[in-house]
Amino acid sequence: GQPCKTQFLTPEMCRAARALLGWTQGDLAEQAEVSRGTIRDYESSRHGVHRATEAQLRRALESGGARFVEISDFGMALCAATAAPRQEH
């Protein structure tokens, strides 16, 4: 496979999402089921990641509570998931 050409999860966005969640590179590697070296090398821009690996990273970060939102005329933004509003009975 080829490295992802249209990148959704940039190295900077990956680092920011980890920081938002309070995760180490090891935490993300464990949650995404990839090696810590893959995270380290990707975040330091030593190499890109394949689409499948990017999808694993995104799923892990989103499962942890990070949300990626596309903003018109801006691009991707990162925010924390919030709990649904509680219904009063």
Side-chain angles (χ1 to χ4, degrees):
Q2 296 290 321
C4 184
K5 287 186 175 62
T6 345
Q7 204 170 37
F8 169 83
L9 185 67
T10 64
E12 297 81 11
M13 190 73 78
C14 189
R15 281 193 305 273
R18 275 196 314 100
L20 181 72
L21 299 175
W23 285 6
T24 64
Q25 289 180 342
D27 295 332
L28 177 55
E30 182 178 329
Q31 294 300 315
E33 299 181 347
V34 300
S35 74
R36 186 183 162 285
T38 295
I39 306 296
R40 180 195 63 228
D41 291 347
Y42 179 59
E43 287 187 351
S44 65
S45 298
R46 285 190 184 141
H47 63 72
V49 291
H50 297 280
R51 280 188 293 272
T53 304
E54 181 183 4
Q56 286 173 261
L57 296 175
R58 181 178 175 180
R59 274 193 304 272
L61 292 164
E62 288 178 336
S63 292
R67 293 295 177 265
F68 301 95
V69 181
E70 183 151 6
I71 299 175
S72 195
D73 297 326
F74 175 74
M76 285 308 222
L78 171 67
C79 59
T82 58
R86 298 175 86 178
Q87 298 278 335
E88 296 293 327
H89 292 270

